[in-house]
Amino acid sequence: MTIEQANDRLGDLIDAVVAGFAEVAASQARAAERVEELRRWSLVAADISARHQGKEQANGVDHTFAERSLTAELGCALRLPERSAGVLLLESKALVHEHPATMAALRKGVVSYRHAQTVLDATMGLDEPSVLELDALLALKAQTLTVSRLKTVARRERERRDSRPLVERHQVAAQDRHVELHPCGDGMAWLHHLLPAVQATAIFHRLTDIAVAVQGPDEPRTLAQLRADASVDLLLDDDARTALTAATGTDADGNSEDRGVAASEAAPHSAGEPTQSIAGVADRVSLGGIKPQVAVTIPVMTLLGHSEEPGDLAGHGPIDAHTARRLAAQAPSFLRILTHPETGTVLSVGRDRYAVPADLKTWLRIRDETCRFPGCSRRAQRCDIDHITDWAHGGTTDHHNLIHLCRHHHRLKHTTTWTVRTEPPDRPTTAPPDSNPPHSSPPHSDPPHTVTLNSNRGRRTPRHSDSAPTADVVRWTAPTGRDYLDHAALELVDRQAEKRDATGITSVDGDHSDFPDEPPF
């Protein structure tokens, strides 16, 4: 058997697996229909029972008791907790009666039930026209996005349709903040925090930065373990900061002559470390003056107080304008990114970040946000910067030839026959028409156009030579020969279609902006 034949066989098996999961999704759609039929029949049964008791029909209390009984029995029959059975009943009702597009996609097997649940969560509480509009949009996007990525898109799209001010919704939601403890086996437990997004994101990034600072050749713990150990020390050990000061020579504010505040600059264990943490789990994780760095994207008119357009907290999504302005003004550990109110062009990343090569790295991190492998959401700060065309093979060190890849996908690129290439933004970013299995990029049904696409974060694509590649569109080819676009490129396709639908213009070659989006160096 040749390598080509082996890869063809792999491709056939991938298609078979995809088809199998499509059958599962279609079965789940039928199951949802049956669950809803069961719920409706339980109400009919309650009416029949009421008539046998001399009533004209069952009242609200009777129906409530009937639904509770059904939930309990369904949980027993399916060996589900009642809460899960109740959720199943609610989801099935919503899918069958309120989400026709998502239900149709589920029946066809082109989305999974988890995708459908994401759509349901995103539309909860909206009025009927908004539910139908968002249902149609997300059902289409779900066919090309991972569940995690769909959740991000769904949050943003919901913000556009919820008439209630975001700041008011946040204030109401913040009343539900709490901590939960879920016991597990082997002496372990989950500790869950529901917190405002700003604080939760900053806490997670701080734990990550502390963990990265401790990593080294003599440190056997994984990043996840170090992150957990750091949280133990910070939450339980009252003497953690005192021990750190004594061991590292830092002052009470965590300042040190030979230690910076960035994870990449922080030194590993100093003299006197490690010491045992009070939890007895692992060696103490040094704080080392580590501060979280979280990017906050703010429309310039919002910053000036002339607009209430939400800001964007990296790794989370929309935050209300008031919080965005407060972070921009008062939080030195947050990277403030200003954007043009119409084009979304990045105007500034801060006057203190224009040193070369630091601002090139900063610009790449802002542009990519995450690893550029399809479906990967590891944030760019925790990724390698990779030459698409190897330096040894003539690749240049500029932003057209550089993308962020997490260590796993960086190794995949160099140790397997997966290949990656970039494409000019002035042609449709769709896969070849003869290479579109269910998980490849969707075929483009429109006639060919000469289109200049917006870039992956809403900025205009700079003009280069006709053949010059750009990292805005990244296409990966698997050993089977099937092509996959990274999520940023898929967003480009959506944005291209949206612009055509809105303007009827199929070429924006004459577009001009006073805010060029070349890197700020």
Side-chain angles (χ1 to χ4, degrees):
M1 180 179 289
T2 66
I3 294 177
E4 290 76 12
Q5 289 173 325
N7 284 336
D8 286 343
R9 178 56 178 161
L10 282 175
D12 291 340
L13 291 173
I14 288 175
D15 291 342
V17 169
V18 171
F21 276 90
E23 293 174 4
V24 170
S27 296
Q28 289 175 311
R30 291 192 295 271
E33 292 171 335
R34 291 169 183 171
V35 169
E36 171 55 12
E37 184 180 3
L38 175 65
R39 185 195 67 82
R40 294 176 64 186
W41 188 254
S42 72
L43 301 181
V44 172
D47 289 336
I48 295 173
S49 176
R51 284 196 289 270
H52 278 282
Q53 297 174 18
K55 300 178 183 178
E56 183 176 347
Q57 64 179 17
N59 56 31
V61 174
D62 294 330
H63 283 168
T64 298
F65 289 154
E67 289 194 5
R68 289 179 180 176
S69 175
L70 175 64
T71 301
E73 185 170 0
L74 187 62
C76 292
L78 296 178
R79 296 180 294 281
L80 289 174
E82 283 193 36
R83 183 175 181 180
S84 298
V87 169
L88 178 60
L89 286 162
L90 291 174
E91 290 176 345
S92 299
K93 178 183 178 182
L95 278 172
V96 171
H97 299 293
E98 302 169 12
H99 296 77
T102 299
M103 192 60 174
L106 195 63
R107 288 192 191 101
K108 294 177 182 177
V110 294
V111 303
S112 71
Y113 193 78
R114 289 185 62 205
H115 285 92
Q117 288 175 313
T118 299
V119 177
L120 294 176
D121 290 341
T123 56
M124 186 178 300
L126 296 178
D127 57 66
E128 184 177 354
S130 296
V131 169
L132 291 174
E133 180 183 358
L134 195 54
D135 171 55
L137 174 65
L138 296 181
L140 182 62
K141 290 183 177 294
Q143 299 178 37
T144 58
L145 299 178
T146 64
V147 172
S148 176
R149 188 64 189 170
L150 181 64
K151 289 180 179 179
T152 301
V153 173
R155 282 198 300 268
R156 299 181 194 280
E157 294 296 337
R158 180 191 170 92
E159 294 303 327
R160 301 178 183 179
R161 293 163 177 82
D162 198 322
S163 59
R164 297 171 299 163
L166 179 57
V167 64
E168 292 182 10
R169 284 181 280 133
H170 173 68
Q171 291 172 349
V172 173
Q175 301 302 313
D176 293 329
R177 63 189 183 275
H178 63 278
V179 179
E180 293 182 2
L181 180 66
H182 292 271
C184 300
D186 302 322
M188 303 294 287
W190 282 102
L191 186 65
H192 301 279
H193 293 65
L194 180 63
L195 302 172
V198 170
Q199 286 83 355
T201 303
I203 289 170
F204 182 81
H205 289 341
R206 186 183 193 212
L207 292 175
T208 301
D209 291 339
I210 293 172
V212 170
V214 176
Q215 282 185 317
D218 299 326
E219 175 53 69
R221 288 172 288 179
T222 66
L223 184 66
Q225 291 170 340
L226 288 167
R227 200 184 278 127
D229 293 347
S231 68
V232 169
D233 279 342
L234 291 173
L235 289 172
L236 292 182
D237 193 346
D238 292 336
D239 297 324
R241 195 59 183 253
T242 302
L244 171 67
T245 302
T248 63
T250 55
D251 60 25
D253 295 323
N255 298 317
S256 172
E257 293 183 0
D258 59 354
R259 217 176 236 204
V261 298
S264 59
E265 300 172 342
H269 297 291
S270 300
E273 291 184 35
T275 58
Q276 193 70 13
S277 70
I278 112 176
V281 175
D283 296 335
R284 182 184 311 287
V285 177
S286 170
L287 300 182
I290 296 298
K291 297 179 181 178
Q293 184 184 86
V294 181
V296 181
T297 301
I298 309 171
V300 67
M301 301 305 288
T302 296
L303 186 66
L304 295 175
H306 300 317
S307 170
E308 292 301 308
E309 182 179 352
D312 186 277
L313 181 67
H316 170 72
I319 56 174
D320 64 85
H322 172 73
T323 299
R325 284 191 288 265
R326 181 170 55 82
L327 289 177
Q330 302 175 7
S333 62
F334 284 79
L335 176 62
R336 295 171 293 276
I337 306 167
L338 303 186
T339 61
H340 185 272
E342 295 180 359
T343 65
T345 299
V346 173
L347 304 181
S348 170
V349 292
R351 296 295 298 176
D352 60 338
R353 294 182 177 273
Y354 281 152
V356 177
D359 59 324
L360 172 57
K361 294 180 179 179
T362 299
W363 189 85
L364 291 171
R365 188 168 67 245
I366 294 169
R367 182 200 67 187
D368 290 349
E369 289 191 2
T370 65
C371 170
R372 295 300 296 272
F373 190 85
C376 184
S377 59
R378 182 175 293 275
R379 62 182 180 131
Q381 281 182 303
R382 300 296 164 225
C383 294
D384 302 329
I385 296 179
D386 178 62
H387 287 75
I388 298 172
T389 300
D390 292 350
W391 175 269
H393 297 150
T396 57
T397 304
D398 61 53
H399 64 287
H400 304 301
N401 191 48
L402 296 173
I403 58 174
H404 280 89
L405 294 178
C406 68
R407 186 59 53 86
H408 172 73
H409 291 122
H410 196 170
R411 288 172 178 161
L412 183 77
K413 175 176 178 282
H414 290 286
T415 60
T416 72
T417 54
W418 273 91
T419 59
V420 59
R421 66 183 184 273
T422 57
E423 297 177 349
D426 56 353
R427 72 183 187 211
T429 57
T430 54
D434 60 345
S435 178
N436 283 297
H439 280 201
S440 295
S441 55
H444 203 288
S445 58
D446 294 336
H449 298 291
T450 302
V451 181
T452 299
L453 297 176
N454 293 334
S455 70
N456 60 323
R457 294 293 171 254
R459 303 181 299 277
R460 283 182 58 255
T461 301
R463 297 293 185 265
H464 309 296
S465 65
D466 291 341
S467 60
T470 171
D472 288 336
V473 180
V474 179
R475 185 185 297 274
W476 290 79
T477 302
T480 63
R482 285 153 173 78
D483 285 350
Y484 303 87
L485 298 180
D486 82 310
H487 65 78
L490 291 173
E491 290 177 5
L492 284 173
V493 177
D494 291 340
R495 212 169 268 124
Q496 173 191 18
E498 289 173 1
K499 187 158 190 175
R500 283 204 310 274
D501 293 341
T503 65
I505 299 175
T506 59
S507 175
V508 291
D509 289 338
D511 187 26
H512 175 73
S513 171
D514 294 330
F515 299 92
D517 70 339
E518 290 282 0
F521 52 84

